[in-house]
């Protein structure tokens, strides 16, 4: 209150308001024109009326407003720009400022801005989040404002010490207070403000009326303009408004002041002025309240979201009192859906709208048909939420999606009279006629398939070693339940095609899981365990094997698209192999003839095929069928691209070869981590089976010039091992295998065994098998057998005869096994020996050529080719220049003789054994 | 000269006699017109060569050195030698000539024969017939006519019989090498076959009487086991290695022949083309003549048909020579082994 009076009493430059109020000079120049202008268009008048000072100050206030807005949205770049403009504008206004003193609002913005910047500067977190431009602008602005503020130091400190007096809001508050007090004053005088107003409006004083009118108009105008500004810039704040107004008000006031002396006495004029002010303040106060309300309701909201949803939100609510019927809801739904896919549509808002619509529909008991219809659309728009294929759903969206589908399924199960299908036309839908079965357009199967794909995408895009992945993986159960429910639903209502598709989904979620329960049941015979427990376990669900069998068989029988059947077969084989049903798996693989035409399939199916082959190989290995294991794994392992072929990662090497697009496609093909096959296990299985095959083979064909390699990769590993300058104890899996191979070459099965099966290898490989101990014992036996074979191949030339008992002791195999192995070798003509039954010994025949004999044979062969070449030379000579080289014929005869000798040699070397 | 021990009697050690005899028989044909008919080696030289290999050579690496001595009539007496240092990569600028000269000068100071009469080289399973040997022996023989190369086979020596052979290039080969033309025609003209490339000169190892006496005494004292090396029956390794090497050479030979074959084919094809061209030309000329036009000018046929570069045949000759040596070796070796086997059999029977 004091302020009001102080402004009236003396002209302190400290407060901008009071300063303004008392300034009359600039207006004075216009005074003469005033009457003329009044008659003109009001807007024009308003503009012209402004003084230079007003203009400058308005400029400043506008800028300040923008800065404040920029501060609010933390747009430091904008702040910087505006601040620079402000500085310029201030420079322009210098002359006025010199007269008037520094305007309060100016000091205020400087102080605030500095505080704000310091605050930002301190907020390390926020700074990190800022984009580069903003961060740069921040540091620049901070420096600038520091420098700039040095000139205003005293003012700012003053402001800071006494913010109540200076701050505008406070000032306004003061004004309000003062208003109250002025009212009181007026009361004292016996005139209430309202009465005053009334009186005034009644007063016939033309000028005052005119003034009033004008003032009102102006208020209106300013309000309008404010509104406009609101819409245009969308960034006006209420307090700056008031500031502006204040500016205007003072203009009016001053004008009034100017005029007053001509018609009324000083005192009255002062009074009137006060009254006017009071009235205006009243107006303004109410207006401001309105504005504030508006701000709270619309303004703020609008600034965040952008205009569109605001427009939409209103219609959605349905005009009050509208009767909510099917048609209205459907209309609304269509209205919402029309925005779908359009640019600029807020997808999140759309989803919300749809959800609200569902609520409304259910509140109004519109029947399940409508709900189902809307649900379908919600799920669809959930899928639409991501703009492209590469990105995956956010967890909350995903959760929403799952819930939604579950609810949808609930409804569908609860209302068997609802027909859902993608082939139901929009027109023939029946959403509410309860007499007939409800028909809704939409395909639950597609939704579920899409959901499954989304799930895969989420899994692909989550770091497999994080807790997050585990969290996501927990949803897998939910996905499975949903698929199961849909399956049940479709089994009742769907076509065979649809059933096949949903079966495939089910299969895809089943085939890679090891069925521990079934495994346990198998291990413990039914009579061993307590009956109740058994039943319980059985009730929990059928064996996945049975399930797979049932689903796959259905697909085999009913499917008409090749792809689904192929996938089903592969999954079936995989499942068989995973559960060690080797013969079923192998037979299925062979019967399907997939190996012949898999290269024509699309990449995901090929990846599935590769996975199946690998699983088959590992299965064969577990069964001790090393040869089958080796053959199955050969294709995958020999390329050295197992990782890529199994869809378990991209190779860095070929990164340059493909472009961005291809890489994206390949990334989408990746198999989620929980389906991965352990690559080290794979390689180890391959190498060990290669070792078991290759080492005896190498021993058998040591001196054979044309021996082929069984496994290139294994040989590669051996060579790598040989190249090591210093052989330490093996570390990696490969080194273990190489070391074991070396031991095996010498027939030293114990060392070989200790290299293949030990702590390290157990941890790395063997423990990963479901029946690790069984595999290990199989492996030991294999090593013993193959070592025995290797030993016999390598050292048979040293023995005349060897007792089988000795062999049995050496390799810790029982006698019949040794017997059978040796018999097999003899039958296959790998070992030239015979068994002497009474003494249980192997008698060597020594018909194998010795090293020298082998060499001689090779030499003879080479000489043969040499002679052939030589003859060709001579044929040439003879053919063309028969007579010319006659004397060379001697050489030819010699060659003939030589050849004979060669032939003789061959005979000799043949008779040698 | 004083260091040379003049032996009166025939003083070849027993061990070297077999090789010497074998060499003599073979060398007979070639050495007829040679300047050197016999090589007499001092025991010291043999020991020095063996020692050199023992200390520096291993595996396929060869050791080389210079022989010093005198020519007496048609007999080359080698009385001393010194080794070349092993080539290593750090001293690439090692000057061999400088080294030799200095070495000989120093030896002269201690009154040793300083006449350069050839060089020696060790060998790995008898593989010495190479281009490098040919080239250096050619330069030796070109400078000093009487030069020989001594080939020392350490592996055979280790089996109990000293294997030391002296070789010289035949005068025919010397001529061809002087021409430096190894085309098929030149070789044919020179009448050189692989058998006529090297001539072996018989070797006699000569020791002083005192040494001979010592030898006899040592022989009496030595245990029987020390002499058993010669009777070793383990032959497979040596034979295998030789066969392996032989096979490699045969492969090389094969390749060489294929190369030659292609050349022959190309040449004959070209000849045919040339022939056709000439015929056509002739016909045209005849026609022109009948029409009374002047004949076409003569063209340089060699420009039209560039003759193919004939492959050098020296390498294949050398390979053939090497194969020959291998075969000799094997033959020798197997013959000896057969003898040993029969002996062993007889012993076995006798014992039983």
């Amino acid at each position: 209150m004091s302020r009001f009076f102080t402004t009236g009493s003396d002209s302190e430059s400290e407060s901008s308001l009071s300063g303004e109020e008392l300034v009359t000079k600039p207006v004075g120049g216009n005074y003469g024109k005033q009457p003329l202008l009044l008659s003109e268009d009001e807007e024009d008048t308003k503009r012209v009326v402004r003084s230079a000072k007003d203009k400058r100050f308005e400029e400043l206030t506008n800028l300040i407003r923008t800065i404040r807005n920029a501060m609010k949205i933390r747009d430091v770049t904008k702040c910087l720009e505006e601040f620079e403009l402000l500085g310029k504008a201030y420079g322009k206004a210098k002359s006025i400022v010199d007269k008037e003193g520094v305007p309060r609002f100016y000091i205020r913005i400087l102080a605030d801005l500095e505080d704000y910047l310091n605050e930002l500067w301190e907020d390390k977190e926020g700074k990190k989040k800022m984009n580069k431009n903003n961060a740069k602008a921040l540091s620049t602005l901070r420096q600038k404002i520091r420098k700039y503020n040095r000139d205003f130091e005293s003012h700012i400190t003053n402001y800071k010490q006494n913010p109540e007096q200076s701050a505008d809001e406070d000032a306004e508050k003061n004004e309000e207070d003062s208003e109250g007090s002025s009212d009181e004053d007026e009361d004292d005088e016996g005139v209430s403000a309202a009465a005053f107003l009334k009186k005034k409006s009644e007063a016939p004083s033309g000028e005052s009326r005119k003034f009033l009118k004008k003032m009102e108009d102006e208020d209106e105008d300013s309000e309008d303009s404010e509104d406009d500004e609101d819409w245009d810039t969308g960034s006006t704040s209420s307090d700056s408004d008031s500031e502006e107004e204040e500016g205007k008000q003072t203009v009016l006031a001053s004008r009034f002041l100017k005029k007053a002396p001509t018609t009324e006495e000083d005192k009255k004029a002062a009074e009137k002025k006060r009254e006017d002010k009071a009235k205006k303040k009243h107006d303004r106060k109410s207006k401001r309240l309105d504005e504030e309300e508006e701000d709270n309701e619309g303004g703020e909201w609008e600034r965040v979201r952008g205009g569109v949803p605001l427009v939409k939100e209103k219609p959605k609510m349905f005009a009050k009192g509208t009767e909510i019927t099917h048609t209205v809801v459907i209309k609304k739904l269509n209205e919402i859906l029309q925005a779908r896919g359009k640019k600029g549509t807020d997808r999140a808002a759309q989803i919300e709208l749809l959800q609200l619509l569902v609520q409304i529909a259910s509140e109004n008991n519109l029947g399940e048909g409508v709900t189902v219809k809307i649900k379908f659309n919600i799920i669809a728009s959930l899928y639409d939420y991501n703009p492209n294929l590469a990105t995956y759903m956010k967890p909350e969206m995903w959760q929403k999606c799952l819930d939604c589908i579950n609810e949808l399924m609930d409804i569908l199960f609860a209302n068997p009279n609802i027909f859902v299908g993608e082939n139901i036309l929009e027109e023939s839908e029946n959403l509410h006629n309860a007499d007939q079965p409800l028909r809704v357009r939409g395909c639950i199967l597609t939704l579920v398939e899409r959901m499954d794909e989304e799930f895969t995408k989420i899994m692909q895009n989550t770091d497999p070693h994080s807790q997050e992945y585990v969290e996501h993986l927990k949803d897998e159960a939910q996905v499975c339940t949903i698929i199961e429910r849909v399956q049940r639903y479709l089994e009742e209502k769907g076509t065979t095609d649809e059933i096949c598709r949903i079966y495939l989904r089910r299969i895809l979620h089943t085939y890679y899981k090891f069925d521990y329960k079934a495994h346990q049941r198998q291990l413990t015979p039914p009579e061993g365990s307590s009956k109740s427990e058994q039943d319980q376990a059985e009730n929990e669900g059928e064996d996945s094997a049975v399930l797979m069998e049932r689903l796959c068989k259905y697909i085999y029988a009913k499917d008409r698209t090749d792809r689904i059947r192929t996938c089903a077969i592969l999954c079936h084989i995989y499942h068989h192999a995973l559960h060690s049903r080797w013969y079923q798996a192998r037979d299925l693989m062979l019967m399907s003839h997939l190996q012949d035409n898999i290269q024509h399939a699309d990449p995901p199916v090929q990846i599935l095929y590769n996975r199946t082959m690998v699983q088959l190989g590992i299965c064969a290995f577990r069964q001790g069928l090393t040869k089958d294991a080796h053959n199955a794994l050969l294709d995958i392992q020999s390329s050295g691209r197992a990782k890529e072929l199994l869809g378990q990662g991209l190779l860095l090497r070929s990164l340059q070869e493909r472009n961005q697009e291809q890489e994206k496609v390949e990334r989408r093909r990746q198999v989620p981590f929980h389906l991965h096959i352990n690559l080290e296990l794979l390689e180890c299985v391959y190498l060990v089976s290669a070792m078991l095959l290759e080492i005896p083979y190498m021993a058998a064909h040591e001196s054979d010039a044309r021996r082929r390699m069984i496994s290139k990769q294994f040989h590669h590993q051996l060579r790598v091992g040989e190249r090591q300058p210093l052989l330490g104890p093996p570390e990696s899996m490969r080194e273990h295998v190489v070391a074991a191979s070396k031991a095996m070459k010498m027939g030293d099965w114990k060392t070989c065994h200790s290299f293949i099966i030990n702590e390290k290898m157990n941890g790395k490989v063997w423990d990963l098998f479901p029946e690790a101990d069984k595999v290990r014992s199989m492996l030991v036996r294999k090593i013993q057998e193959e070592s025995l074979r290797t030993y016999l191949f390598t050292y048979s030339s040293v023995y005349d005869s060897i007792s089988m008992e000795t062999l049995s002791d050496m390799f810790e195999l029982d006698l019949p096994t040794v017997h059978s192995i040796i018999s097999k070798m003899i039958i296959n003509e790998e070992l030239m020996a015979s068994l002497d039954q009474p003494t249980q010994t192997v008698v060597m025949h020594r018909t194998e050529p010795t090293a020298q004999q082998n060499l001689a044979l090779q030499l003879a062969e080479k000489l043969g080719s040499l002679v052939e070449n030589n003859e060709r030379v001579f044929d040439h000579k003879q053919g063309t220049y028969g007579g010319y080289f006659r004397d060379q014929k001697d050489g030819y005869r010699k060659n003939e003789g030589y050849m004979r000798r060669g032939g003789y040699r061959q005979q000799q070397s043949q008779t040698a054994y | 000269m004083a260091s040379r021990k003049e032996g009166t009697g025939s003083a070849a050690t027993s061990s070297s006699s077999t090789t010497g005899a074998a060499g003599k028989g073979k060398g007979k044909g070639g050495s007829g017109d040679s300047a050197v008919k016999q090589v007499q080696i001092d025991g010291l030289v043999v020991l020095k060569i063996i020692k050199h290999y023992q200390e520096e050579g291993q595996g396929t690496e060869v050791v080389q050195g210079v022989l010093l001595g005198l020519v007496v009539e048609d007999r080359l007496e080698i009385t001393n030698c010194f080794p070349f240092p092993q080539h290593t990569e750090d001293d690439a600028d090692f000057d061999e000539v400088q080294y030799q000269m200095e070495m000989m000068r120093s030896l002269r100071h201690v009154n040793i024969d300083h006449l350069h009469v050839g060089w020696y080289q060790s060998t790995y399973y008898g593989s010495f017939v190479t281009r490098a040997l040919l080239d250096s022996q050619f330069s030796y023989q070109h400078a000093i006519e009487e030069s020989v190369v001594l080939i020392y086979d350490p592996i055979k020596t280790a089996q109990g019989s000293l294997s030391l052979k002296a070789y010289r290039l035949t005068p025919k080969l010397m001529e061809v090498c002087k021409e430096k033309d190894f085309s098929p025609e030149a070789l044919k003209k020179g009448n050189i076959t692989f058998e006529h490339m090297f001539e072996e000169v018989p070797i006699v190892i000569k020791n002083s009487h005192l040494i001979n006496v010592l030898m006899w005494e040592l022989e009496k004292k030595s245990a029987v086991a020390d002499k058993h090396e010669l009777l070793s029956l383990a032959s497979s390794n040596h034979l295998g290695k030789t066969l392996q090497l032989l096979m490699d050479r045969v492969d090389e030979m094969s390749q060489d022949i294929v190369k030659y074959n292609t050349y022959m084919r190309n040449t004959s094809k070209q000849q045919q083309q040339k022939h056709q061209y000439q015929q056509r030309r002739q016909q045209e000329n005849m026609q022109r003549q009948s029409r009374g036009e002047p004949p076409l000018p003569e063209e340089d046929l060699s420009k039209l048909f560039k003759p193919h570069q004939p492959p050098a045949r020296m390498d294949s000759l050398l390979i053939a020579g090497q194969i020959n040596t291998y075969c000799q070796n094997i033959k020798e070796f197997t013959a000896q082994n057969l003898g040993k086997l029969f002996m062993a059999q007889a012993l076995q029977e006798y014992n039983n």
Side-chain angles (χ1 to χ4, degrees), chain A residues 447-463:
Chain A
L447 289 182
V448 170
E449 280 180 342
R450 184 69 200 271
M451 170 198 75
D452 194 27
E453 275 157 31
E454 285 295 339
F455 177 67
T456 313
K457 235 190 280 178
I458 290 175
M459 296 320 275
Q460 279 171 350
N461 284 290
T462 315
D463 174 18

Side-chain angles (χ1 to χ4, degrees), chain B residues 140-156:
Chain B
Y140 267 104
Q141 230 166 301
H142 192 60
I144 307 151
E145 216 212 321
E146 292 84 7
S147 305
V148 292
V149 53
L150 275 184
I151 304 293
Y152 163 67
D153 190 337
I155 292 160
K156 254 195 194 166

Side-chain angles (χ1 to χ4, degrees), chain A residues 617-633:
Chain A
I618 293 175
C619 170
F621 182 77
R622 278 198 306 251
Q623 305 292 306
L625 305 160
T626 39
K627 191 152 190 176
D628 291 303
H630 181 264
N631 289 343
L633 299 180

Side-chain angles (χ1 to χ4, degrees), chain A residues 231-249:
Chain A
W231 283 111
D232 288 347
T233 61
S235 60
T236 322
S237 66
S238 56
D239 46 353
S240 59
D241 282 353
S242 66
E243 220 167 34
E244 191 182 45
E245 258 170 57
E246 232 156 352
K248 276 173 199 155
Q249 174 215 348

